[in-house]
Amino acid sequence: SPHVINTLKHSIDSYITEASFKIEVHAKNGQDVIPGPERKLILIAGMGGKEIDSIITHLARYISVEDDLVIS
């Protein structure tokens, strides 16, 4: 929900103050997210196993062994 996303963004902003960190919060179809080439920590949460599998399959072409993936 938009409320949850706004709360999350506010919480992140209060903890991460370094300009070197780029944090993006997406509340959209995971198959529409195309991450950049920099090292990433990707957190996928709040959905079912089939949807998570679909997102990971999509992201596989954009992530490397240097990236971190958290699934909840």
Side-chain angles (χ1 to χ4, degrees):
S1 75
H3 174 72
V4 172
I5 295 301
N6 286 333
T7 301
L8 177 60
K9 286 179 181 179
H10 178 73
S11 295
I12 290 170
D13 289 343
S14 67
Y15 288 105
I16 305 296
T17 57
E18 295 182 41
S20 62
F21 288 102
K22 178 182 175 188
I23 297 176
E24 297 177 14
V25 178
H26 298 279
K28 60 183 177 180
N29 188 331
Q31 291 80 5
D32 293 337
V33 176
I34 300 176
E38 63 279 337
R39 184 167 183 222
K40 296 169 278 308
L41 166 65
I42 299 171
L43 170 64
I44 303 172
M47 58 200 68
K50 288 183 181 181
E51 181 66 22
I52 289 173
D53 180 58
S54 176
I55 293 169
I56 292 171
T57 299
H58 162 72
L59 290 175
R61 67 188 117 180
Y62 302 107
I63 59 177
S64 74
V65 296
E66 300 296 319
D67 297 323
D68 296 303
L69 181 63
V70 178
I71 302 169
S72 174

